[in-house]
Amino acid sequence: MSKNFVAELAWRGMLHDAMPGTEDHLLSGMQSAYVGIDPTADSLHIGHLVGVMMLRHFQLAGHKPFALIGGATGMIGDPSGKSAERNLLDEKTLRHNQEALKEQLSRFLDFEGNSKNAAVLVNNYDWMKDFSFLEFIRDVGKHITVNYMMAKDSVKKRLSAEAKEGMSFTEFTYQLVQGYDFLHLFRAHNCTLQMGGSDQWGNITTGTELIRRIGGGKGYALTCPLITKADGTKFGKTESGNVWLDANRTSPYRFYQYWLNTSDEDAEKYIKIFTFLTKEAIENLVATHKEAPHQRALQRKLAEEITTMVHSQEDLDNAMKASTILFGKSTSDDLKQLDEKTFLDVFEGVPQAELPRSEITKGLDMIGALAAKTNFLGSNGEARRELKQNSISVNKEKVKEDYTITESDLINGKYILLQKGKRNNYLLIVK
């Protein structure tokens, strides 16, 4: 083995618990492990990234990673960490989601290589769909007692007084289905390790129990901590919802901004988890950051590394360019290079006014643009004063009162950015 996988996770803060003997088992030769991924959307979000990073470290250490798309379990719903049941999906939706997820996973895992440890994508729907209920309760259910299942934390929480809706039989059986996945992969692919978040420990150990009782072998469990934010708010969530890996759901600019805006405490933790930088490189970066925290060296490096990994160098360059537009030195050309989605992301929440295209076609004078037609400034007199003081810009270029806005000023064919000084922005939308 090129690396001690367990030791690698430990220094990165990615190891919560591991079954005794796991480290020795992995050091004894190439092994196979899997992480289950919920297929309820056609994109991963950053909450999935820890499990994906674990699989990548596993492959880098010379082992064989399996990404298991939970097609069957996605039809049921996992009680772990949830207060309500999930929506159930049809097969067509699950297959679409599976293909989209594989494309994203291929940015982290090598599925194509001829090496023995090339990654494999599997879907538990493929082996569960032909399993009759009678066969399942006969071949799997009889090996695990209700007492054993009731003792799991995920079950206890849902049955506690705080849980209003209780727990359906469907959800109660979830751990048996997930446990059977482990048994199936053990038998079919000699997969001996299941990994997941710390809330999955109960489900994973049910799998090791089935391997012991039915498979006559030994399975191992390893979990990572659930990622939290220092301020107590939920990791991976913004006001507009999840931070997705799909650029159509979360633009590279917004993705970059999410990481750039992390706190110092979180950035020091995240850079170990969400990048492949070496221990030495991270220690040097932390030291540099502490000397001049205002320069946000940790956040910048974190945002750069993860945006390039999830998207591309070009997307990172565009996101960084977009980030300087609000407050940095940028030009009209910089604005015009932004695609429409990024442009709107950058100027989200900026006051705006709509104008008919005819106003621009015949030429819009600056007093009209600033006051009479838009109310950006309070009066025509204020508009004249600000223009005389050289504090007004159109698309980042300073203008005087004699400037006329025409169609050549339009960004993406319909936007004009007005500014008073550096901080006051106003968007004209031409319809």
Side-chain angles (χ1 to χ4, degrees):
M1 294 297 101
S2 56
K3 275 186 183 175
N4 181 327
F5 172 69
V6 175
E8 181 76 14
L9 291 191
W11 80 258
R12 289 184 180 275
M14 295 171 72
L15 182 65
H16 183 267
D17 209 350
M19 198 170 271
T22 301
E23 187 171 6
D24 290 340
H25 174 63
L26 295 178
L27 290 171
S28 67
M30 187 184 88
Q31 307 297 345
S32 296
Y34 84 96
V35 167
I37 295 167
D38 167 22
T40 48
D42 60 0
S43 172
L44 301 168
H45 53 73
I46 61 175
H48 292 112
L49 268 184
V50 188
V52 175
M53 296 297 274
M54 288 169 80
L55 285 176
R56 178 61 180 150
H57 282 299
F58 194 71
Q59 191 169 36
L60 288 172
H63 299 294
K64 188 174 183 70
F66 283 74
L68 182 143
I69 303 295
T73 34
M75 290 180 166
I76 300 173
D78 175 8
S80 304
K82 309 288 192 309
S83 57
E85 293 203 29
R86 353 174 136 128
N87 295 331
L88 311 184
L89 303 174
D90 60 50
E91 186 178 356
K92 184 180 175 185
T93 305
L94 285 168
R95 292 301 181 195
H96 163 74
N97 292 355
Q98 176 180 330
E99 288 309 307
L101 296 179
K102 184 172 183 182
E103 192 277 322
Q104 290 183 339
L105 288 167
S106 64
R107 298 176 209 171
F108 299 85
L109 303 172
D110 180 8
F111 288 96
E112 305 303 326
N114 295 321
S115 61
K116 289 181 180 177
N117 74 324
V120 179
L121 186 83
V122 293
N123 187 331
N124 63 7
Y125 183 74
D126 293 331
W127 57 83
M128 291 303 300
K129 68 179 188 295
D130 298 323
F131 217 153
S132 76
F133 178 68
L134 290 176
E135 284 176 316
F136 189 79
I137 57 174
R138 182 193 66 197
D139 297 342
V140 179
K142 72 174 184 182
H143 293 282
I144 300 290
T145 66
V146 170
N147 307 51
Y148 179 88
M149 295 169 73
M150 295 280 285
K152 302 291 184 182
D153 286 341
S154 58
V155 175
K156 281 182 184 172
K157 283 176 186 169
R158 285 296 297 273
L159 294 176
S160 69
E162 300 117 55
K164 295 175 185 173
E165 295 180 23
M167 184 181 199
S168 69
F169 173 74
T170 305
E171 280 194 298
F172 182 59
T173 58
Y174 183 93
Q175 62 173 288
L176 286 182
V177 180
Q178 184 172 327
Y180 182 76
D181 287 343
F182 198 177
L183 175 62
H184 174 85
L185 291 177
F186 174 78
R187 285 169 162 170
H189 301 284
N190 195 29
C191 186
T192 52
L193 173 64
Q194 186 185 165
M195 305 187 291
S198 57
D199 61 336
Q200 291 292 314
W201 184 259
N203 291 337
I204 296 173
T205 51
T206 297
T208 64
E209 193 66 8
L210 285 176
I211 289 171
R212 184 179 73 81
R213 294 185 182 193
I214 306 174
K218 173 88 172 146
Y220 295 86
L222 184 149
T223 59
C224 61
L226 296 180
I227 305 302
T228 56
K229 288 174 73 172
D231 63 4
T233 58
K234 191 168 183 181
F235 167 76
K237 291 278 188 184
T238 64
E239 287 178 14
S240 55
N242 285 322
V243 179
W244 299 93
L245 272 55
D246 181 348
N248 295 318
R249 288 172 176 253
T250 300
S251 69
Y253 167 75
R254 278 186 187 277
F255 188 84
Y256 174 78
Q257 286 292 322
Y258 178 84
W259 300 101
L260 197 62
N261 290 321
T262 52
S263 68
D264 289 355
E265 187 180 340
D266 287 335
E268 190 172 337
K269 178 169 72 172
Y270 295 166
I271 202 156
K272 295 174 186 171
I273 297 170
F274 298 111
T275 77
F276 293 101
L277 296 173
T278 64
K279 190 175 186 180
E280 183 183 10
I282 290 173
E283 285 170 351
N284 290 337
L285 201 57
V286 169
T288 302
H289 180 90
K290 285 181 176 169
E291 285 172 15
H294 62 284
Q295 291 182 0
R296 300 177 72 76
L298 267 177
Q299 286 90 337
R300 289 181 190 281
K301 187 64 173 172
L302 170 66
E304 287 168 17
E305 289 284 320
I306 197 161
T307 303
T308 306
M309 186 164 55
V310 168
H311 296 290
S312 69
Q313 183 63 46
E314 183 184 0
D315 286 327
L316 170 66
D317 294 341
N318 290 338
M320 291 173 75
K321 204 180 292 176
S323 297
T324 66
I325 280 171
L326 268 182
F327 306 118
K329 290 182 180 177
S330 54
T331 65
S332 174
D333 286 342
D334 292 333
L335 274 179
K336 287 175 179 174
Q337 284 173 21
L338 294 180
D339 63 87
E340 185 174 10
K341 187 166 187 352
T342 305
F343 180 86
L344 291 174
D345 280 347
V346 171
F347 295 105
E348 184 187 29
V350 167
Q352 51 187 241
E354 290 186 3
L355 286 177
R357 190 163 291 270
S358 58
E359 294 279 2
I360 305 296
T361 306
K362 68 186 181 185
L364 179 64
D365 67 277
M366 287 312 299
I367 303 302
L370 293 170
K373 305 279 186 184
T374 66
N375 295 321
F376 175 26
L377 301 183
S379 67
N380 291 355
E382 185 185 352
R384 288 194 180 91
R385 276 196 308 277
E386 294 295 344
L387 285 159
K388 278 179 183 162
Q389 289 170 12
N390 202 32
S391 63
I392 299 297
S393 301
V394 173
N395 296 340
K396 292 284 186 175
E397 309 288 345
K398 295 282 187 186
V399 296
K400 299 289 189 186
E401 189 174 341
D402 61 356
Y403 190 82
T404 301
I405 293 174
T406 66
E407 287 194 340
S408 65
D409 292 304
L410 292 175
I411 296 163
N412 286 304
K414 60 179 172 182
Y415 304 105
I416 291 163
L417 176 68
L418 302 176
Q419 286 177 296
K420 183 182 86 169
K422 286 184 178 179
R423 303 274 168 175
N424 293 309
N425 298 289
Y426 197 89
L427 205 56
L428 294 187
I429 303 173
V430 178
K431 294 282 188 180

